[in-house]
């Protein structure tokens, strides 16, 4: 009878050793770490905390990770806060859990940039009631130079080429009428303008302009005080002052009006803030989303053909707006104005 004991024993030991070796050489679970873009965000429902997850080999595994804010999972890797408090953030992936970080959500108390408001007036030389309306806007501007008036003419020699598209977009069909921050039709009250002026700024603008032969070279800088993946756009327009033309005047016989006895029409009436040309689409050129980060600056150059305009009477207005109006997002975030040939910084 053959003895199988020793071969079987040797084989068993080999298998056990092999299994033990395989177990010992299995790499330990890869560690995770989370990173956040900023230590604090505003509680405005717009400013965003962006969470990124890496493994120990520095591979970005965010897309496959579960991200938890205060131990509650969120969809994606972007978080917006509605309450002022301290939060925790961590991530898990394939049964592994990352380190934990903390961040703060704070109320937006102080503006880093001054708040500007644009008011786009739809007017015309033929409009008999426009004198009073324009005078009212000018009065508001005299009291607060953070209000930037823009006059888009219709049906006369100063008509802006895309004024009809603007009126259709804003559903503004009366003359005179005006649109405040591309949000609301102006009710002629100071309160509506003030309500816009007290809103917190999300960005600031600086403009550098140089004059050439019938050209205005314009560099616009936008500095963000938020991080947002919302689609934003920039509008850049050229305005001209001191355009002397007759103006229809309904108030010529009204002794309480500043236009009393000035004639109907008023001869040599000075039309100011007249929209002449846009360097962008009048509804805005889209800003790359990836540059919309807190404390970062994006800039773009524009060349404006000012042929036929008096450069000494021209100014440039730039404003940042939401690309498309939605239920919760609409209007102009901030604006800036500068005389052609001059420079204005973030203020």
């Amino acid at each position: 009878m053959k003895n199988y004991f020793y071969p079987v024993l040797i084989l068993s030991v080999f298998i056990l050793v092999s299994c033990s070796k395989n177990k010992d050489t299995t790499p330990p679970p890869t560690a995770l770490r989370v990173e956040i873009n900023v230590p604090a965000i505003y509680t405005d429902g717009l400013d965003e905390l962006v969470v990124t997850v890496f493994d120990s080999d520095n591979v970005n595994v965010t897309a496959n990770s579960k991200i938890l804010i205060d131990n509650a999972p969120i969809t994606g890797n972007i978080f917006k806060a509605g309450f002022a408090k301290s939060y925790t953030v961590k991530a898990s992936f394939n049964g592994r859990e990352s380190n934990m970080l903390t961040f703060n959500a704070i109320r937006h108390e102080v503006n880093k940039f001054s708040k500007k408001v644009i008011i786009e007036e739809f007017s015309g030389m033929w409009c008999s009631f426009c004198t009073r309306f324009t005078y009212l806007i000018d009065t508001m501007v005299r009291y607060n130079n953070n209000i930037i008036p823009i006059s888009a003419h219709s049906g006369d020699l100063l008509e802006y080429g895309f004024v009809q598209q603007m009126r259709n977009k804003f559903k503004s069909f009366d003359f005179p009428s005006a649109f405040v921050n591309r949000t609301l039709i102006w009710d002629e009250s100071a309160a509506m303008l003030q309500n816009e002026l007290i809103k917190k700024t999300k960005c600031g603008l600086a403009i550098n302009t140089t004059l050439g032969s019938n050209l205005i070279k314009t560099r616009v800088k936008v500095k963000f005080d938020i991080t947002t993946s919302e689609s934003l756009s920039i509008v850049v327009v050229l305005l001209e002052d001191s355009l002397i033309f007759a103006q229809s005047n309904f108030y010529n016989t009204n002794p309480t009006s500043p236009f009393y006895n000035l004639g109907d029409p008023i001869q040599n009436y000075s039309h100011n803030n007249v929209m002449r040309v846009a360097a962008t689409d009048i509804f805005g050129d889209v800003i790359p989303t990836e540059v919309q980060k807190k404390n970062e600056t994006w800039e773009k150059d524009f060349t404006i053909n000012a042929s036929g305009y008096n450069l000494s009477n021209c100014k440039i207005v730039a404003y940042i707006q939401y690309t498309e109006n939605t239920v919760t997002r609409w209007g102009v975030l901030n604006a800036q104005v500068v005389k052609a040939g001059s420079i204005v910084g973030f203020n």
Side-chain angles (χ1 to χ4, degrees):
M1 186 177 195
K2 294 183 179 178
N3 190 339
Y4 293 102
F5 174 75
Y6 288 110
V8 170
L9 178 62
I10 292 169
L11 181 60
S12 300
V13 170
F14 176 78
I15 292 172
L16 286 171
V17 169
S18 297
C19 290
S20 175
K21 249 188 197 179
N22 287 341
K23 185 174 181 182
D24 291 342
T25 58
T26 300
T30 305
L32 295 178
R33 80 175 190 279
V34 292
E35 293 184 1
I36 55 179
N37 60 318
V38 286
I41 58 173
Y42 294 131
T43 56
D44 59 1
L46 180 62
D47 198 8
E48 296 174 348
L49 183 88
V50 181
V51 183
T52 310
V53 187
F54 298 93
D55 66 16
S56 63
D57 297 319
N58 212 36
V59 175
N60 188 325
V61 292
T62 307
N64 298 315
S65 299
K66 179 190 290 185
I67 295 169
L68 300 97
I69 304 293
D70 281 354
N71 290 316
I74 63 172
T75 301
N77 69 319
I78 292 175
F79 175 75
K80 301 175 185 179
F83 301 96
K85 56 170 287 200
S86 178
Y87 289 87
T88 62
V89 56
K90 62 182 180 180
S92 63
F93 173 58
N94 281 351
R96 292 162 283 169
E97 193 168 277
S98 76
N99 59 314
M100 180 180 289
L101 297 178
T102 60
F103 65 94
N104 294 317
I106 59 176
R107 294 182 182 88
H108 193 166
E109 302 286 358
V110 179
N111 280 338
K112 290 186 178 178
F113 312 101
S114 65
K115 178 68 173 178
K116 312 290 196 310
V117 170
I118 64 164
I119 179 166
E120 293 168 299
E121 175 193 7
F122 297 106
S123 183
M125 301 176 197
W126 51 270
C127 173
S128 295
F129 297 98
C130 285
T131 49
R132 180 193 64 82
F133 201 76
T134 302
Y135 179 82
L136 186 56
I137 292 175
D138 289 344
T139 301
M140 301 288 180
V141 174
R142 281 195 295 272
Y143 281 106
N144 193 326
N145 62 9
N146 283 335
I147 300 170
I148 303 173
I150 297 172
S151 182
H153 278 238
S154 295
D156 62 24
L157 294 173
L158 302 178
E159 180 173 305
Y160 174 64
F162 297 98
V163 68
Q164 189 60 51
Q165 288 90 328
M166 292 175 66
R167 291 175 58 220
N168 290 340
K169 179 83 169 179
F170 302 150
K171 295 180 173 55
S172 182
F173 305 115
D174 296 327
F175 286 91
S177 64
F179 216 62
V180 177
N181 263 359
R182 297 196 160 184
T183 304
L184 298 168
I185 294 177
W186 188 39
D187 62 4
E188 303 187 28
S189 73
M192 181 179 286
L193 297 175
Q194 185 60 31
N195 285 341
E196 291 296 311
L197 285 166
I198 63 175
K199 289 183 178 178
K200 300 305 179 184
T201 60
K202 311 303 180 184
C203 60
L205 294 92
I207 309 176
N208 185 334
T209 65
T210 56
L211 302 181
S213 177
N214 297 320
L215 295 175
I216 304 174
K217 293 186 177 180
T218 302
R219 173 168 293 180
V220 181
K221 296 181 179 181
V222 182
K223 189 167 186 178
F224 294 93
D225 192 30
I226 56 168
T227 296
T228 180
S229 55
E230 292 280 350
S231 182
L232 304 179
S233 297
I234 183 169
V235 181
V236 179
V237 296
L238 180 149
L239 310 184
E240 189 175 7
D241 291 336
S242 303
L243 293 162
I244 308 302
F245 292 94
Q247 173 65 45
S248 182
N249 177 29
F250 176 81
Y251 304 96
N252 183 54
T253 59
N254 184 343
T256 65
S257 169
F259 301 100
Y260 176 61
N261 268 349
L262 294 185
D264 184 16
I266 302 172
Q267 301 299 325
N268 300 319
Y269 181 89
S270 182
H271 297 267
N272 298 314
N273 308 304
V274 177
M275 183 185 291
R276 300 297 255 162
V277 66
T280 60
D281 187 289
I282 193 57
F283 300 118
D285 291 351
V286 175
I287 298 171
T289 306
E290 60 269 19
V291 306
Q292 298 171 175
K293 297 178 181 178
K294 185 174 289 190
N295 298 323
E296 293 195 9
T297 301
W298 172 80
E299 60 183 61
K300 188 172 182 180
D301 292 327
F302 303 90
T303 299
I304 301 173
N305 186 342
S307 299
Y309 310 141
N310 185 338
L311 292 180
S312 63
N313 292 333
C314 288
K315 50 196 171 189
I316 304 298
V317 180
Y319 36 108
I320 304 300
Q321 63 172 39
Y322 293 104
T323 299
E324 289 294 336
N325 289 355
T326 67
V327 174
T328 57
R329 304 276 186 251
W330 64 85
V332 172
L333 281 76
N334 212 350
Q336 186 62 279
V337 61
V338 67
K339 184 176 175 60
S342 299
I343 298 171
V344 62
F346 300 109
N347 55 23

